[in-house]
Amino acid sequence: MRRRSIIRKSVPVSVGDYVYSDGSYSMILDTNKTVVGVCFYINGLDRRMISLKNMGTHKIQNDIQTFVSNLPEYDTLEDAIQDMDGKRNTQIITNFVMGKGWYSSTYCMYHIAIYSTAGFPAGNWWLPSMGE
């Protein structure tokens, strides 16, 4: 499981650039800096990165039949890949699992909510949507 965050800088960045804890980025790895992700999406000032850390495996929930209310549903893959709001979707799921009591270190949403890196604190990372 990997997480994503938004990078907002005025300096041009390219898809594939390394993103560092100080908010800078480069096409070539700078081994003197702490890499926290790789840029995968750019649309104007909306720039997103994927974390390089594998979060391991954790339970999603107790009941796989559970429906998460308020989470967008799509009938086709074409519709689903238009969803670029993984941050909002992750918050909806987190609120839902907290209400169910599934918010502990046993469950993945706990780890997603508290995940942070140098320069990018908790709340800046989320599960990707289909479009992301």
Side-chain angles (χ1 to χ4, degrees):
M1 171 180 12
R2 298 208 175 176
R3 307 220 169 91
R4 299 169 194 250
S5 184
I6 293 178
I7 310 159
R8 297 201 187 273
K9 295 286 180 183
S10 58
V11 179
V13 63
S14 297
V15 170
D17 281 359
Y18 294 99
V19 182
Y20 303 100
S21 61
D22 64 2
S24 65
Y25 27 81
S26 66
M27 183 183 306
I28 298 170
L29 178 63
D30 183 342
T31 57
N32 295 315
K33 294 186 175 193
T34 302
V35 179
V36 294
V38 172
C39 180
F40 75 92
Y41 175 83
I42 302 170
N43 184 3
L45 293 178
D46 183 3
R47 302 165 186 174
R48 301 179 189 192
M49 69 174 156
I50 186 165
S51 170
L52 298 181
K53 182 176 180 181
N54 184 335
M55 297 301 296
T57 58
H58 302 281
K59 291 170 60 172
I60 295 174
Q61 60 189 34
N62 281 336
D63 177 3
I64 61 170
Q65 300 299 319
T66 300
F67 173 79
V68 179
S69 58
N70 299 321
L71 191 65
E73 292 185 66
Y74 303 101
D75 293 325
T76 67
L77 177 60
E78 290 77 19
D79 290 339
I81 61 175
Q82 299 302 311
D83 183 350
M84 293 294 291
D85 205 355
K87 186 171 187 174
R88 179 179 175 271
N89 296 345
T90 298
Q91 188 59 55
I92 291 169
I93 297 167
T94 299
N95 292 342
F96 177 81
V97 299
M98 287 175 74
K100 290 284 190 179
W102 301 337
Y103 195 73
S104 71
S105 61
T106 305
Y107 299 98
C108 70
M109 296 312 293
Y110 171 84
H111 294 277
I112 293 163
I114 67 166
Y115 182 74
S116 66
T117 62
F120 295 89
N124 285 284
W125 298 93
W126 59 85
L127 291 173
S129 64
M130 284 293 291
E132 292 173 313

